[in-house]
Amino acid sequence: MNPMSRVLVVEDEFTMRNTLKDCLEGEGYRVLTAADGETALKRVLEDKPDLILLDVMLPKLDGYTVCNEIRRLANPTPVIMLTAKGQVSDRVDGLDAGADDYLVKPFSLEELLARIRALLRRIHQQSNAPRALSLDDVHVDFIRQQAWRLDQPLHLPPKEIAMLRMLAESLGHPVSRDRFLDVVWGYATFPTTRTVDTHVATLRAKIEPDPDNPRWIKTVHGVGYKLDLSSTPSSPRREES
């Protein structure tokens, strides 16, 4: 993590915006601010921050809309949503809009800083992460969060795409169930390892030629799953950034 990383704080409440700004600057971050959704989008495009703290309830464009638009533009900048809404459904909406994490007000500044550090560290580790993956007639664009089979849209929800990306990042090496839970589900819910198995089964049904005898997503017993591209003659491609 670079301590001079630029953080965009999008918050319409003046006191909260300044509190966050002062706190982040005190930790060595360079801070940009915006008080409404339209200004936030402009700053994202023009200033290219390293991370975005995004309030949900904003003038002009709400946080969900802003986050959706950021992802529609294929911008991978990590987003932490800040909101007073604490229902699980609200958190899921935020994560489905493309947010990487979700923090409910009131929160401690220490926890916020820890999550910022964790996200920036993860982004640094993924600097050589694949942008896309092709498996025979299935193509997945990890940046746009979209998938196709033979040029026809293939519905893969964000969690399935995130799991597939993790497998591609660890190509040939197993990803544990706990690691899937930590990265894909994070703070949104309290799932079990069985949840991972269920999602893998659904993912296999969508992309494997024979889901009962998977060619690509292999089970590593006692650990989790791995992506194996060695057993197919069509040489699936992993496109890197």
Side-chain angles (χ1 to χ4, degrees):
M1 182 200 70
N2 180 359
M4 287 302 292
S5 297
R6 295 190 301 170
V7 178
L8 173 60
V9 176
V10 187
E11 168 65 63
D12 64 322
E13 206 277 315
F14 178 81
T15 301
M16 174 63 78
R17 187 169 65 249
N18 277 0
T19 297
L20 292 173
K21 183 175 183 294
D22 291 344
C23 172
L24 292 168
E25 287 180 340
E27 293 294 317
Y29 295 100
R30 297 167 59 193
V31 181
L32 311 169
T33 62
D36 62 75
E38 288 184 0
T39 303
L41 280 177
K42 182 178 179 180
R43 302 220 71 167
V44 169
L45 296 175
E46 294 180 355
D47 299 318
K48 297 179 174 57
D50 298 297
L51 183 140
I52 303 165
L53 298 182
L54 180 62
D55 190 30
V56 169
M57 304 302 291
L58 293 169
K60 299 183 180 180
L61 296 175
D62 64 39
Y64 298 136
T65 302
V66 171
C67 197
N68 268 313
E69 183 65 11
I70 289 171
R71 299 305 183 227
R72 188 188 71 79
L73 295 170
N75 187 315
T77 305
V79 175
I80 300 178
M81 280 197 160
L82 308 176
T83 182
K85 295 184 174 182
Q87 298 297 319
V88 170
S89 60
D90 296 315
R91 303 184 198 186
V92 171
D93 287 342
L95 294 170
D96 284 346
D100 297 271
D101 204 348
Y102 199 102
L103 200 53
V104 178
K105 300 175 182 177
F107 51 80
S108 74
L109 293 176
E110 289 80 7
E111 181 179 6
L112 174 63
L113 290 171
R115 295 198 188 191
I116 289 173
R117 289 192 296 269
L119 261 181
L120 291 175
R121 185 166 56 246
R122 192 176 84 193
I123 295 302
H124 176 72
Q125 292 169 346
Q126 294 175 354
S127 58
N128 293 319
R131 297 173 60 88
L133 179 70
S134 292
L135 303 169
D136 282 355
D137 57 358
V138 173
H139 182 77
V140 183
D141 187 322
F142 294 123
I143 302 301
R144 289 184 170 82
Q145 299 279 290
Q146 296 174 336
W148 300 266
R149 171 178 280 116
L150 297 175
D151 298 325
Q152 295 298 313
L154 176 64
H155 178 61
L156 295 183
K159 285 185 175 60
E160 292 177 11
I161 289 180
M163 294 180 75
L164 194 54
R165 180 168 186 164
M166 288 183 66
L167 289 166
E169 289 168 356
S170 301
L171 187 60
H173 300 282
V175 179
S176 71
R177 291 174 175 83
D178 285 340
R179 180 64 178 156
F180 278 123
L181 292 175
D182 181 46
V183 174
V184 178
W185 278 265
Y187 299 93
T189 55
F190 300 94
T192 65
T193 53
R194 181 59 185 164
T195 302
V196 174
D197 297 333
T198 300
H199 277 72
V200 167
T202 302
L203 186 55
R204 282 172 169 166
K206 294 178 180 179
I207 69 173
E208 292 277 4
D210 181 1
D212 292 330
N213 297 284
R215 177 188 297 177
W216 298 308
I217 302 178
K218 301 292 184 64
T219 300
V220 181
H221 294 289
V223 180
Y225 301 91
K226 70 176 181 179
L227 184 65
D228 183 357
L229 303 187
S230 64
S231 61
T232 175
S234 56
S235 299
R237 303 187 310 279
R238 191 186 81 146
E239 300 172 20
E240 296 186 352
S241 53

